[in-house]
Amino acid sequence: MIARAQLTFVPGGLVPAAGSFTLWAATGEEGARGPAVELEAEADALGIPVGTPVQHPTFLSAGEGFRAADVPGRRLPLLPTLRVLAALPPGSQQPAWARPSASVLAWSVAAKLGLELVAAGRLLPGVVATDSPGEVRGVWRAVARSDGRPEQLAAAMPVAAHALRLPTGEPWSAQDLVLAFLDAVADACAREGRRPELDPRRRGPRRPWAQMWADALRGTDPTVGHLRVAPEDVVEDVEEWAAPVLGAARHTAARLWLALEPPREDAEVSGELRAAGLPWHL
């Protein structure tokens, strides 16, 4: 009997949409079969592109506990894998001989939840800090933290589904990884599948904050630059603005900021009322 491959979501570093999956298999010390052959066959059986070879930083059983280990895996692109997972039937509806591992089935449930949130419009724009002065990155986040289902899913997840080491060597918690995945689904879908990448050539001179943020959220380069205020202040203000929607502040009321803009000389309407949530212009 050939052991089933495991599936783990790996958050991306640039923006949530840069995340990916790793299909991996733990082999014994004597490893009778090559893991690359097994993983390619498993990916093919699932209908997922076989991806590229990687070393997956995970944990393996060691006596009564676990030990850190790097095992061979295949890095799978987010959106093609997401489509396959969303179409995967529940394990109870699949014959035992063809049923994927519990970690694959767990991420299938997470994929369906993520797409449901996107279809319902439960996503929110945000920003994250960068290492560059005067810049932040525009990102999309899933509005799921007050839903309850992410926590339930995380509690039911098998260990292999979130068996991923942080750079500090500590393991990811199932809940943090589920929330990171839901943000990745929201970010990838909102960007319409565009692959995020940094490209200074696409950044022109300083423009209005709203335009730069919108371009960062829908384009390939997520950078918002030429800020006149400290990036950490921008991140703090956006997080405070989003907190009531994301469920991070139970006693904070959402704020609405309205601005009546005068009509342009060539406009056919008498004026335009613009709504926003942030009380500053950058």
Side-chain angles (χ1 to χ4, degrees), residues 52-70:
T52 57
V54 294
Q55 289 294 312
H56 180 60
T58 186
F59 298 89
L60 299 179
S61 298
E64 296 181 357
F66 296 90
R67 63 177 177 85
D70 293 336

Side-chain angles (χ1 to χ4, degrees), residues 18-85:
S20 61
F21 280 98
T22 297
L23 192 70
W24 58 280
T27 57
E29 296 295 334
E30 299 177 359
R33 295 179 63 102
V37 176
E38 291 183 4
L39 294 177
E40 289 178 2
E42 289 264 345
D44 185 64
L46 290 169
I48 302 175
V50 296
T52 57
V54 294
Q55 289 294 312
H56 180 60
T58 186
F59 298 89
L60 299 179
S61 298
E64 296 181 357
F66 296 90
R67 63 177 177 85
D70 293 336
V71 300
R74 309 289 298 193
R75 178 173 294 161
L76 309 178
L78 177 63
L79 285 178
T81 307
L82 179 66
R83 286 192 287 266
V84 171
L85 292 174

Side-chain angles (χ1 to χ4, degrees), residues 51 66 79 89 103 109 123 175 248:
F66 296 90
L79 285 178
S103 60
V109 175
L123 61 167
Q175 182 170 330

